[in-house]
Amino acid sequence: VTCDRFLQTEGIVDHLRTTYTSCKGVVTEQICTFIASLALFVSAKYCEIKYPVVSDVCKLMQCPFTFEEFEEMEKVVLEAFSWNL
């Protein structure tokens, strides 16, 4: 739900491409995978006692982004929802 809601924000993929270096030159599907990976990670952190390691999530989703980029995007998504998950 978080992933869908974030990606339905008008112009979000173009905004991510122009704002974050991690998204420049990356195809839309990779950005969607990145956001989906992030949503999975945030959900796990919210619902589980022990949550997965970021590198494991990225590897599982074949996400071409770094840990730092993952952390940065986590902040963006959480701020977009005013932390109201």
Side-chain angles (χ1 to χ4, degrees), residues 12-85:
I12 193 64
V13 173
D14 291 330
H15 171 71
L16 294 174
R17 271 203 190 99
T18 57
T19 307
Y20 301 96
T21 55
S22 59
C23 294
K24 291 182 181 169
V26 177
V27 295
T28 301
E29 289 79 12
Q30 287 177 312
I31 293 174
C32 291
T33 299
F34 186 37
I35 301 302
S37 301
L38 182 69
L40 173 71
F41 183 72
V42 169
S43 296
K45 282 174 69 174
Y46 187 76
C47 295
E48 301 294 328
I49 294 171
K50 183 177 179 187
Y51 52 87
V53 179
V54 171
S55 60
D56 292 343
V57 173
C58 286
K59 197 180 302 178
L60 174 70
M61 302 292 282
Q62 298 178 351
C63 190
F65 301 95
T66 65
F67 174 79
E68 290 78 18
E69 293 165 332
F70 200 91
E71 267 191 329
E72 181 181 346
M73 193 56 64
E74 180 181 19
K75 290 176 191 172
V76 170
V77 170
L78 291 173
E79 286 172 1
F81 293 118
S82 301
W83 288 75
N84 185 16
L85 304 177

